[in-house]
Amino acid sequence: MKDTNCIFCKIAAGEIPSKTIYEDGTFRVILDISPATRGHALIIPKAHYANIYELPEDMAAAAMVLAKKLALHMSEILKCDGFNIIQNNGETAGQTVFHFHMHLIPRYGDDGNQDKICWNHLELSEEELEGICQKLRQ
């Protein structure tokens, strides 16, 4: 399955040049052209799925296994101090290309981004937490 208007479909198919660091029959992993840090890479399925909601469970599992493998490899090679694995779904969550992908972001003590991947923390009452918990258990 491919979306002819999707830039990630074209990159995954090799129709648009990329700095590929890994490829198999299911995924292509490329360096991000607008990286947050040195080595920032994207895991892109070769088949088109807009987001995690469309992604089959077996492919979601395979993407996470690949993310772990690459995080270990990249950490060893790049000598980073930490690692972020990020996956956004929907515009509100920061998704800008609507083809499922995972960001692999090596983190360095001097990368200047220590406070960039964060959110404001809410203060919820015990009752609010319990109400949310009850809704999600249904």
Side-chain angles (χ1 to χ4, degrees), residues 85-133:
I85 299 173
I86 300 172
Q87 200 282 306
N88 303 318
N89 296 283
E91 190 174 343
T92 302
Q95 186 178 11
T96 57
V97 178
F98 295 91
H99 179 118
F100 174 89
H101 59 285
M102 295 176 73
H103 293 261
L104 304 175
I105 306 175
R107 300 305 303 271
Y108 306 91
D110 63 352
D111 67 24
N113 286 316
Q114 284 70 22
D115 63 345
K116 300 293 190 253
I117 301 174
C118 62
W119 48 84
N120 296 323
H121 294 271
L122 296 176
E123 291 187 28
L124 298 176
S125 69
E126 181 64 30
E127 293 78 24
E128 290 171 306
L129 289 171
E130 185 59 34
I132 294 166
C133 185

mmCIF file of all heavy atoms in Angstrom, residues 85-133:
data_model
loop_
_atom_site.group_PDB
_atom_site.id
_atom_site.type_symbol
_atom_site.label_atom_id
_atom_site.label_comp_id
_atom_site.label_asym_id
_atom_site.label_seq_id
_atom_site.Cartn_x
_atom_site.Cartn_y
_atom_site.Cartn_z
ATOM 1 N N ILE A 85 13.128 8.351 21.841
ATOM 2 C CA ILE A 85 12.372 7.689 20.779
ATOM 3 C C ILE A 85 10.991 8.317 20.836
ATOM 4 O O ILE A 85 10.285 8.198 21.836
ATOM 5 C CB ILE A 85 12.310 6.168 20.985
ATOM 6 C CG1 ILE A 85 13.725 5.584 20.957
ATOM 7 C CG2 ILE A 85 11.418 5.514 19.927
ATOM 8 C CD1 ILE A 85 13.794 4.110 21.315
ATOM 9 N N ILE A 86 10.629 9.010 19.743
ATOM 10 C CA ILE A 86 9.401 9.801 19.742
ATOM 11 C C ILE A 86 8.541 9.414 18.551
ATOM 12 O O ILE A 86 9.050 9.202 17.449
ATOM 13 C CB ILE A 86 9.721 11.310 19.682
ATOM 14 C CG1 ILE A 86 10.563 11.704 20.904
ATOM 15 C CG2 ILE A 86 8.465 12.150 19.580
ATOM 16 C CD1 ILE A 86 11.100 13.104 20.856
ATOM 17 N N GLN A 87 7.239 9.359 18.773
ATOM 18 C CA GLN A 87 6.304 9.038 17.704
ATOM 19 C C GLN A 87 5.071 9.906 17.916
ATOM 20 O O GLN A 87 4.414 9.822 18.946
ATOM 21 C CB GLN A 87 5.982 7.539 17.745
ATOM 22 C CG GLN A 87 5.436 6.963 16.465
ATOM 23 C CD GLN A 87 3.974 7.302 16.261
ATOM 24 O OE1 GLN A 87 3.133 7.059 17.119
ATOM 25 N NE2 GLN A 87 3.668 7.869 15.108
ATOM 26 N N ASN A 88 4.753 10.785 16.960
ATOM 27 C CA ASN A 88 3.648 11.728 17.071
ATOM 28 C C ASN A 88 2.461 11.278 16.219
ATOM 29 O O ASN A 88 2.663 10.766 15.115
ATOM 30 C CB ASN A 88 4.091 13.121 16.598
ATOM 31 C CG ASN A 88 5.290 13.638 17.364
ATOM 32 O OD1 ASN A 88 5.379 13.490 18.566
ATOM 33 N ND2 ASN A 88 6.222 14.254 16.651
ATOM 34 N N ASN A 89 1.256 11.514 16.706
ATOM 35 C CA ASN A 89 0.025 11.151 15.991
ATOM 36 C C ASN A 89 -0.934 12.322 15.989
ATOM 37 O O ASN A 89 -1.464 12.689 17.028
ATOM 38 C CB ASN A 89 -0.632 9.942 16.646
ATOM 39 C CG ASN A 89 0.249 8.725 16.533
ATOM 40 O OD1 ASN A 89 0.328 8.108 15.481
ATOM 41 N ND2 ASN A 89 0.947 8.395 17.599
ATOM 42 N N GLY A 90 -1.138 12.905 14.816
ATOM 43 C CA GLY A 90 -2.040 14.034 14.677
ATOM 44 C C GLY A 90 -1.304 15.358 14.785
ATOM 45 O O GLY A 90 -0.270 15.477 15.425
ATOM 46 N N GLU A 91 -1.870 16.346 14.119
ATOM 47 C CA GLU A 91 -1.266 17.673 14.074
ATOM 48 C C GLU A 91 -1.073 18.267 15.470
ATOM 49 O O GLU A 91 -0.032 18.841 15.769
ATOM 50 C CB GLU A 91 -2.137 18.591 13.217
ATOM 51 C CG GLU A 91 -1.509 19.912 12.903
ATOM 52 C CD GLU A 91 -2.339 20.732 11.929
ATOM 53 O OE1 GLU A 91 -3.226 20.179 11.244
ATOM 54 O OE2 GLU A 91 -2.087 21.941 11.853
ATOM 55 N N THR A 92 -2.059 18.109 16.336
ATOM 56 C CA THR A 92 -1.975 18.652 17.689
ATOM 57 C C THR A 92 -0.806 18.053 18.461
ATOM 58 O O THR A 92 -0.203 18.710 19.303
ATOM 59 C CB THR A 92 -3.296 18.410 18.452
ATOM 60 O OG1 THR A 92 -4.347 19.027 17.723
ATOM 61 C CG2 THR A 92 -3.258 18.976 19.841
ATOM 62 N N ALA A 93 -0.463 16.816 18.148
ATOM 63 C CA ALA A 93 0.639 16.135 18.822
ATOM 64 C C ALA A 93 1.992 16.394 18.147
ATOM 65 O O ALA A 93 3.002 15.844 18.565
ATOM 66 C CB ALA A 93 0.365 14.636 18.875
ATOM 67 N N GLY A 94 2.007 17.197 17.089
ATOM 68 C CA GLY A 94 3.258 17.537 16.441
ATOM 69 C C GLY A 94 3.563 16.770 15.169
ATOM 70 O O GLY A 94 4.640 16.923 14.596
ATOM 71 N N GLN A 95 2.633 15.934 14.700
ATOM 72 C CA GLN A 95 2.876 15.198 13.457
ATOM 73 C C GLN A 95 2.759 16.163 12.285
ATOM 74 O O GLN A 95 1.767 16.872 12.146
ATOM 75 C CB GLN A 95 1.875 14.051 13.302
ATOM 76 C CG GLN A 95 2.159 13.159 12.111
ATOM 77 C CD GLN A 95 1.191 11.986 11.999
ATOM 78 O OE1 GLN A 95 0.172 11.922 12.687
ATOM 79 N NE2 GLN A 95 1.517 11.056 11.122
ATOM 80 N N THR A 96 3.800 16.199 11.435
ATOM 81 C CA THR A 96 3.795 17.096 10.276
ATOM 82 C C THR A 96 3.754 16.330 8.959
ATOM 83 O O THR A 96 3.325 16.880 7.948
ATOM 84 C CB THR A 96 5.010 18.033 10.289
ATOM 85 O OG1 THR A 96 6.201 17.261 10.325
ATOM 86 C CG2 THR A 96 4.968 18.967 11.490
ATOM 87 N N VAL A 97 4.218 15.092 8.956
ATOM 88 C CA VAL A 97 4.112 14.228 7.784
ATOM 89 C C VAL A 97 3.183 13.088 8.186
ATOM 90 O O VAL A 97 3.470 12.363 9.146
ATOM 91 C CB VAL A 97 5.486 13.683 7.331
ATOM 92 C CG1 VAL A 97 5.325 12.744 6.147
ATOM 93 C CG2 VAL A 97 6.431 14.836 6.983
ATOM 94 N N PHE A 98 2.102 12.921 7.466
ATOM 95 C CA PHE A 98 1.071 11.974 7.869
ATOM 96 C C PHE A 98 1.297 10.598 7.251
ATOM 97 O O PHE A 98 0.476 10.062 6.511
ATOM 98 C CB PHE A 98 -0.318 12.568 7.614
ATOM 99 C CG PHE A 98 -0.521 13.769 8.488
ATOM 100 C CD1 PHE A 98 -0.172 15.039 8.045
ATOM 101 C CD2 PHE A 98 -0.973 13.625 9.782
ATOM 102 C CE1 PHE A 98 -0.300 16.143 8.878
ATOM 103 C CE2 PHE A 98 -1.104 14.723 10.634
ATOM 104 C CZ PHE A 98 -0.767 15.985 10.175
ATOM 105 N N HIS A 99 2.458 10.071 7.595
ATOM 106 C CA HIS A 99 2.902 8.705 7.293
ATOM 107 C C HIS A 99 3.582 8.270 8.587
ATOM 108 O O HIS A 99 4.520 8.938 9.042
ATOM 109 C CB HIS A 99 3.898 8.736 6.127
ATOM 110 C CG HIS A 99 4.444 7.396 5.726
ATOM 111 N ND1 HIS A 99 4.236 6.880 4.469
ATOM 112 C CD2 HIS A 99 5.200 6.487 6.391
ATOM 113 C CE1 HIS A 99 4.856 5.699 4.371
ATOM 114 N NE2 HIS A 99 5.438 5.446 5.538
ATOM 115 N N PHE A 100 3.115 7.202 9.208
ATOM 116 C CA PHE A 100 3.688 6.762 10.481
ATOM 117 C C PHE A 100 5.211 6.778 10.400
ATOM 118 O O PHE A 100 5.799 6.304 9.428
ATOM 119 C CB PHE A 100 3.212 5.347 10.833
ATOM 120 C CG PHE A 100 3.885 4.802 12.059
ATOM 121 C CD1 PHE A 100 3.339 5.017 13.300
ATOM 122 C CD2 PHE A 100 5.076 4.099 11.960
ATOM 123 C CE1 PHE A 100 3.967 4.537 14.446
ATOM 124 C CE2 PHE A 100 5.711 3.613 13.095
ATOM 125 C CZ PHE A 100 5.158 3.830 14.333
ATOM 126 N N HIS A 101 5.852 7.317 11.420
ATOM 127 C CA HIS A 101 7.304 7.275 11.535
ATOM 128 C C HIS A 101 7.693 7.480 12.988
ATOM 129 O O HIS A 101 6.935 8.027 13.780
ATOM 130 C CB HIS A 101 7.981 8.313 10.627
ATOM 131 C CG HIS A 101 7.577 9.726 10.884
ATOM 132 N ND1 HIS A 101 6.355 10.239 10.491
ATOM 133 C CD2 HIS A 101 8.237 10.737 11.488
ATOM 134 C CE1 HIS A 101 6.279 11.508 10.851
ATOM 135 N NE2 HIS A 101 7.407 11.840 11.466
ATOM 136 N N MET A 102 8.870 6.997 13.308
ATOM 137 C CA MET A 102 9.420 7.156 14.650
ATOM 138 C C MET A 102 10.716 7.945 14.554
ATOM 139 O O MET A 102 11.546 7.685 13.691
ATOM 140 C CB MET A 102 9.701 5.792 15.293
ATOM 141 C CG MET A 102 8.456 4.974 15.539
ATOM 142 S SD MET A 102 8.818 3.320 16.189
ATOM 143 C CE MET A 102 9.297 3.715 17.850
ATOM 144 N N HIS A 103 10.875 8.888 15.473
ATOM 145 C CA HIS A 103 12.106 9.664 15.564
ATOM 146 C C HIS A 103 13.064 8.972 16.524
ATOM 147 O O HIS A 103 12.682 8.623 17.647
ATOM 148 C CB HIS A 103 11.819 11.065 16.109
ATOM 149 C CG HIS A 103 11.012 11.918 15.199
ATOM 150 N ND1 HIS A 103 11.572 12.857 14.374
ATOM 151 C CD2 HIS A 103 9.671 11.982 14.987
ATOM 152 C CE1 HIS A 103 10.623 13.461 13.688
ATOM 153 N NE2 HIS A 103 9.453 12.947 14.040
ATOM 154 N N LEU A 104 14.290 8.786 16.087
ATOM 155 C CA LEU A 104 15.366 8.286 16.936
ATOM 156 C C LEU A 104 16.316 9.461 17.137
ATOM 157 O O LEU A 104 16.973 9.895 16.185
ATOM 158 C CB LEU A 104 16.100 7.130 16.259
ATOM 159 C CG LEU A 104 15.248 5.936 15.836
ATOM 160 C CD1 LEU A 104 16.089 4.933 15.064
ATOM 161 C CD2 LEU A 104 14.622 5.278 17.048
ATOM 162 N N ILE A 105 16.362 9.997 18.352
ATOM 163 C CA ILE A 105 17.119 11.217 18.591
ATOM 164 C C ILE A 105 18.205 10.972 19.637
ATOM 165 O O ILE A 105 17.917 10.893 20.840
ATOM 166 C CB ILE A 105 16.198 12.368 19.042
ATOM 167 C CG1 ILE A 105 15.066 12.562 18.025
ATOM 168 C CG2 ILE A 105 17.002 13.654 19.225
ATOM 169 C CD1 ILE A 105 14.028 13.588 18.425
ATOM 170 N N PRO A 106 19.461 10.846 19.195
ATOM 171 C CA PRO A 106 20.557 10.740 20.151
ATOM 172 C C PRO A 106 20.643 12.052 20.938
ATOM 173 O O PRO A 106 20.459 13.132 20.375
ATOM 174 C CB PRO A 106 21.799 10.561 19.269
ATOM 175 C CG PRO A 106 21.286 10.188 17.917
ATOM 176 C CD PRO A 106 19.928 10.798 17.812
ATOM 177 N N ARG A 107 20.906 11.950 22.226
ATOM 178 C CA ARG A 107 20.991 13.143 23.067
ATOM 179 C C ARG A 107 22.398 13.284 23.616
ATOM 180 O O ARG A 107 23.022 12.307 24.015
ATOM 181 C CB ARG A 107 19.979 13.053 24.208
ATOM 182 C CG ARG A 107 18.529 12.951 23.737
ATOM 183 C CD ARG A 107 18.120 14.096 22.806
ATOM 184 N NE ARG A 107 18.309 15.387 23.434
ATOM 185 C CZ ARG A 107 17.396 16.019 24.169
ATOM 186 N NH1 ARG A 107 16.208 15.478 24.348
ATOM 187 N NH2 ARG A 107 17.664 17.183 24.717
ATOM 188 N N TYR A 108 22.871 14.519 23.613
ATOM 189 C CA TYR A 108 24.221 14.845 24.062
ATOM 190 C C TYR A 108 24.116 15.906 25.149
ATOM 191 O O TYR A 108 23.251 16.780 25.090
ATOM 192 C CB TYR A 108 25.051 15.378 22.890
ATOM 193 C CG TYR A 108 25.066 14.457 21.697
ATOM 194 C CD1 TYR A 108 24.110 14.579 20.690
ATOM 195 C CD2 TYR A 108 26.017 13.452 21.579
ATOM 196 C CE1 TYR A 108 24.105 13.728 19.590
ATOM 197 C CE2 TYR A 108 26.019 12.592 20.480
ATOM 198 C CZ TYR A 108 25.063 12.739 19.488
ATOM 199 O OH TYR A 108 25.071 11.902 18.418
ATOM 200 N N GLY A 109 25.004 15.845 26.111
ATOM 201 C CA GLY A 109 24.981 16.814 27.206
ATOM 202 C C GLY A 109 25.059 18.253 26.742
ATOM 203 O O GLY A 109 24.538 19.153 27.393
ATOM 204 N N ASP A 110 25.659 18.476 25.601
ATOM 205 C CA ASP A 110 25.837 19.840 25.084
ATOM 206 C C ASP A 110 24.958 20.135 23.864
ATOM 207 O O ASP A 110 25.236 21.061 23.118
ATOM 208 C CB ASP A 110 27.302 20.071 24.723
ATOM 209 C CG ASP A 110 27.799 19.151 23.606
ATOM 210 O OD1 ASP A 110 27.059 18.219 23.205
ATOM 211 O OD2 ASP A 110 28.932 19.366 23.133
ATOM 212 N N ASP A 111 23.864 19.377 23.664
ATOM 213 C CA ASP A 111 23.079 19.566 22.436
ATOM 214 C C ASP A 111 22.145 20.773 22.476
ATOM 215 O O ASP A 111 21.540 21.130 21.471
ATOM 216 C CB ASP A 111 22.339 18.293 22.017
ATOM 217 C CG ASP A 111 21.233 17.840 22.961
ATOM 218 O OD1 ASP A 111 20.687 18.672 23.713
ATOM 219 O OD2 ASP A 111 20.905 16.641 22.941
ATOM 220 N N GLY A 112 22.011 21.421 23.633
ATOM 221 C CA GLY A 112 21.181 22.617 23.724
ATOM 222 C C GLY A 112 19.691 22.342 23.698
ATOM 223 O O GLY A 112 18.889 23.266 23.607
ATOM 224 N N ASN A 113 19.291 21.084 23.761
ATOM 225 C CA ASN A 113 17.876 20.718 23.668
ATOM 226 C C ASN A 113 17.334 20.070 24.941
ATOM 227 O O ASN A 113 16.285 19.453 24.909
ATOM 228 C CB ASN A 113 17.662 19.749 22.497
ATOM 229 C CG ASN A 113 17.734 20.445 21.163
ATOM 230 O OD1 ASN A 113 17.170 21.506 20.995
ATOM 231 N ND2 ASN A 113 18.443 19.858 20.222
ATOM 232 N N GLN A 114 18.016 20.224 26.051
ATOM 233 C CA GLN A 114 17.590 19.538 27.270
ATOM 234 C C GLN A 114 16.160 19.882 27.671
ATOM 235 O O GLN A 114 15.473 19.070 28.230
ATOM 236 C CB GLN A 114 18.546 19.834 28.439
ATOM 237 C CG GLN A 114 19.856 19.087 28.367
ATOM 238 C CD GLN A 114 20.783 19.563 27.260
ATOM 239 O OE1 GLN A 114 20.678 20.676 26.767
ATOM 240 N NE2 GLN A 114 21.695 18.714 26.844
ATOM 241 N N ASP A 115 15.710 21.076 27.362
ATOM 242 C CA ASP A 115 14.351 21.469 27.745
ATOM 243 C C ASP A 115 13.400 21.545 26.550
ATOM 244 O O ASP A 115 12.303 22.063 26.660
ATOM 245 C CB ASP A 115 14.380 22.811 28.471
ATOM 246 C CG ASP A 115 14.901 23.940 27.583
ATOM 247 O OD1 ASP A 115 15.499 23.655 26.531
ATOM 248 O OD2 ASP A 115 14.730 25.107 27.962
ATOM 249 N N LYS A 116 13.785 21.012 25.412
ATOM 250 C CA LYS A 116 12.971 21.137 24.208
ATOM 251 C C LYS A 116 11.924 20.038 24.057
ATOM 252 O O LYS A 116 10.910 20.245 23.443
ATOM 253 C CB LYS A 116 13.852 21.149 22.955
ATOM 254 C CG LYS A 116 14.850 22.288 22.934
ATOM 255 C CD LYS A 116 14.168 23.628 22.814
ATOM 256 C CE LYS A 116 15.149 24.719 22.544
ATOM 257 N NZ LYS A 116 15.436 25.614 23.606
ATOM 258 N N ILE A 117 12.175 18.877 24.574
ATOM 259 C CA ILE A 117 11.218 17.782 24.455
ATOM 260 C C ILE A 117 10.570 17.618 25.838
ATOM 261 O O ILE A 117 11.004 16.827 26.654
ATOM 262 C CB ILE A 117 11.897 16.490 23.973
ATOM 263 C CG1 ILE A 117 12.545 16.750 22.611
ATOM 264 C CG2 ILE A 117 10.893 15.340 23.898
ATOM 265 C CD1 ILE A 117 13.368 15.620 22.082
ATOM 266 N N CYS A 118 9.560 18.446 26.072
ATOM 267 C CA CYS A 118 8.932 18.447 27.393
ATOM 268 C C CYS A 118 7.498 18.959 27.277
ATOM 269 O O CYS A 118 7.040 19.300 26.193
ATOM 270 C CB CYS A 118 9.732 19.319 28.356
ATOM 271 S SG CYS A 118 9.825 21.044 27.855
ATOM 272 N N TRP A 119 6.806 19.018 28.376
ATOM 273 C CA TRP A 119 5.444 19.523 28.431
ATOM 274 C C TRP A 119 5.210 20.123 29.792
ATOM 275 O O TRP A 119 5.970 19.896 30.738
ATOM 276 C CB TRP A 119 4.434 18.407 28.146
ATOM 277 C CG TRP A 119 4.693 17.156 28.930
ATOM 278 C CD1 TRP A 119 4.305 16.875 30.209
ATOM 279 C CD2 TRP A 119 5.441 16.018 28.492
ATOM 280 N NE1 TRP A 119 4.756 15.639 30.589
ATOM 281 C CE2 TRP A 119 5.469 15.084 29.551
ATOM 282 C CE3 TRP A 119 6.098 15.693 27.315
ATOM 283 C CZ2 TRP A 119 6.114 13.856 29.465
ATOM 284 C CZ3 TRP A 119 6.741 14.470 27.236
ATOM 285 C CH2 TRP A 119 6.733 13.575 28.303
ATOM 286 N N ASN A 120 4.156 20.904 29.898
ATOM 287 C CA ASN A 120 3.767 21.459 31.183
ATOM 288 C C ASN A 120 3.048 20.380 31.964
ATOM 289 O O ASN A 120 2.184 19.690 31.428
ATOM 290 C CB ASN A 120 2.848 22.673 30.993
ATOM 291 C CG ASN A 120 3.564 23.801 30.287
ATOM 292 O OD1 ASN A 120 4.740 24.031 30.519
ATOM 293 N ND2 ASN A 120 2.855 24.499 29.433
ATOM 294 N N HIS A 121 3.396 20.216 33.208
ATOM 295 C CA HIS A 121 2.794 19.179 34.050
ATOM 296 C C HIS A 121 1.515 19.709 34.697
ATOM 297 O O HIS A 121 1.491 20.821 35.227
ATOM 298 C CB HIS A 121 3.785 18.713 35.123
ATOM 299 C CG HIS A 121 4.969 18.020 34.541
ATOM 300 N ND1 HIS A 121 4.991 16.672 34.305
ATOM 301 C CD2 HIS A 121 6.162 18.496 34.113
ATOM 302 C CE1 HIS A 121 6.146 16.334 33.771
ATOM 303 N NE2 HIS A 121 6.875 17.428 33.640
ATOM 304 N N LEU A 122 0.465 18.921 34.626
ATOM 305 C CA LEU A 122 -0.807 19.272 35.248
ATOM 306 C C LEU A 122 -0.793 18.885 36.714
ATOM 307 O O LEU A 122 -0.092 17.962 37.126
ATOM 308 C CB LEU A 122 -1.950 18.510 34.577
ATOM 309 C CG LEU A 122 -2.239 18.809 33.114
ATOM 310 C CD1 LEU A 122 -3.332 17.874 32.611
ATOM 311 C CD2 LEU A 122 -2.631 20.254 32.922
ATOM 312 N N GLU A 123 -1.601 19.580 37.488
ATOM 313 C CA GLU A 123 -1.841 19.182 38.866
ATOM 314 C C GLU A 123 -3.293 18.750 38.953
ATOM 315 O O GLU A 123 -4.197 19.573 38.888
ATOM 316 C CB GLU A 123 -1.552 20.350 39.819
ATOM 317 C CG GLU A 123 -0.077 20.686 39.903
ATOM 318 C CD GLU A 123 0.216 21.717 40.968
ATOM 319 O OE1 GLU A 123 -0.533 21.797 41.972
ATOM 320 O OE2 GLU A 123 1.191 22.449 40.783
ATOM 321 N N LEU A 124 -3.497 17.433 39.035
ATOM 322 C CA LEU A 124 -4.846 16.891 39.120
ATOM 323 C C LEU A 124 -5.112 16.383 40.523
ATOM 324 O O LEU A 124 -4.229 15.809 41.166
ATOM 325 C CB LEU A 124 -5.022 15.753 38.113
ATOM 326 C CG LEU A 124 -4.862 16.123 36.636
ATOM 327 C CD1 LEU A 124 -4.967 14.877 35.767
ATOM 328 C CD2 LEU A 124 -5.894 17.152 36.221
ATOM 329 N N SER A 125 -6.348 16.549 40.964
ATOM 330 C CA SER A 125 -6.728 16.060 42.286
ATOM 331 C C SER A 125 -6.845 14.540 42.255
ATOM 332 O O SER A 125 -6.940 13.925 41.176
ATOM 333 C CB SER A 125 -8.067 16.673 42.705
ATOM 334 O OG SER A 125 -9.107 16.141 41.895
ATOM 335 N N GLU A 126 -6.890 13.949 43.414
ATOM 336 C CA GLU A 126 -7.082 12.503 43.520
ATOM 337 C C GLU A 126 -8.400 12.101 42.856
ATOM 338 O O GLU A 126 -8.464 11.079 42.182
ATOM 339 C CB GLU A 126 -7.075 12.083 44.997
ATOM 340 C CG GLU A 126 -7.242 10.605 45.233
ATOM 341 C CD GLU A 126 -6.094 9.763 44.664
ATOM 342 O OE1 GLU A 126 -4.955 10.242 44.594
ATOM 343 O OE2 GLU A 126 -6.360 8.601 44.282
ATOM 344 N N GLU A 127 -9.430 12.920 43.005
ATOM 345 C CA GLU A 127 -10.730 12.632 42.411
ATOM 346 C C GLU A 127 -10.655 12.677 40.878
ATOM 347 O O GLU A 127 -11.254 11.834 40.197
ATOM 348 C CB GLU A 127 -11.800 13.622 42.909
ATOM 349 C CG GLU A 127 -12.131 13.485 44.384
ATOM 350 C CD GLU A 127 -11.079 14.119 45.319
ATOM 351 O OE1 GLU A 127 -10.338 15.035 44.886
ATOM 352 O OE2 GLU A 127 -10.987 13.669 46.466
ATOM 353 N N GLU A 128 -9.956 13.670 40.333
ATOM 354 C CA GLU A 128 -9.805 13.764 38.883
ATOM 355 C C GLU A 128 -9.040 12.559 38.329
ATOM 356 O O GLU A 128 -9.426 11.975 37.316
ATOM 357 C CB GLU A 128 -9.077 15.058 38.495
ATOM 358 C CG GLU A 128 -9.909 16.306 38.713
ATOM 359 C CD GLU A 128 -9.117 17.578 38.528
ATOM 360 O OE1 GLU A 128 -8.065 17.729 39.177
ATOM 361 O OE2 GLU A 128 -9.558 18.418 37.715
ATOM 362 N N LEU A 129 -7.962 12.190 39.011
ATOM 363 C CA LEU A 129 -7.183 11.016 38.597
ATOM 364 C C LEU A 129 -8.038 9.756 38.640
ATOM 365 O O LEU A 129 -8.011 8.939 37.717
ATOM 366 C CB LEU A 129 -5.943 10.848 39.473
ATOM 367 C CG LEU A 129 -4.827 11.865 39.274
ATOM 368 C CD1 LEU A 129 -3.769 11.708 40.361
ATOM 369 C CD2 LEU A 129 -4.212 11.721 37.897
ATOM 370 N N GLU A 130 -8.812 9.603 39.702
ATOM 371 C CA GLU A 130 -9.669 8.426 39.830
ATOM 372 C C GLU A 130 -10.739 8.413 38.744
ATOM 373 O O GLU A 130 -11.038 7.364 38.172
ATOM 374 C CB GLU A 130 -10.313 8.367 41.218
ATOM 375 C CG GLU A 130 -11.128 7.119 41.472
ATOM 376 C CD GLU A 130 -10.339 5.819 41.336
ATOM 377 O OE1 GLU A 130 -9.132 5.788 41.675
ATOM 378 O OE2 GLU A 130 -10.931 4.816 40.892
ATOM 379 N N GLY A 131 -11.313 9.575 38.419
ATOM 380 C CA GLY A 131 -12.323 9.656 37.367
ATOM 381 C C GLY A 131 -11.760 9.249 36.007
ATOM 382 O O GLY A 131 -12.392 8.500 35.260
ATOM 383 N N ILE A 132 -10.571 9.722 35.700
ATOM 384 C CA ILE A 132 -9.922 9.352 34.436
ATOM 385 C C ILE A 132 -9.617 7.864 34.428
ATOM 386 O O ILE A 132 -9.855 7.170 33.434
ATOM 387 C CB ILE A 132 -8.632 10.183 34.231
ATOM 388 C CG1 ILE A 132 -8.987 11.665 34.029
ATOM 389 C CG2 ILE A 132 -7.828 9.646 33.044
ATOM 390 C CD1 ILE A 132 -7.795 12.611 34.150
ATOM 391 N N CYS A 133 -9.123 7.377 35.540
ATOM 392 C CA CYS A 133 -8.790 5.956 35.657
ATOM 393 C C CYS A 133 -10.040 5.097 35.414
ATOM 394 O O CYS A 133 -9.979 4.119 34.663
ATOM 395 C CB CYS A 133 -8.190 5.675 37.029
ATOM 396 S SG CYS A 133 -7.596 4.014 37.268
#
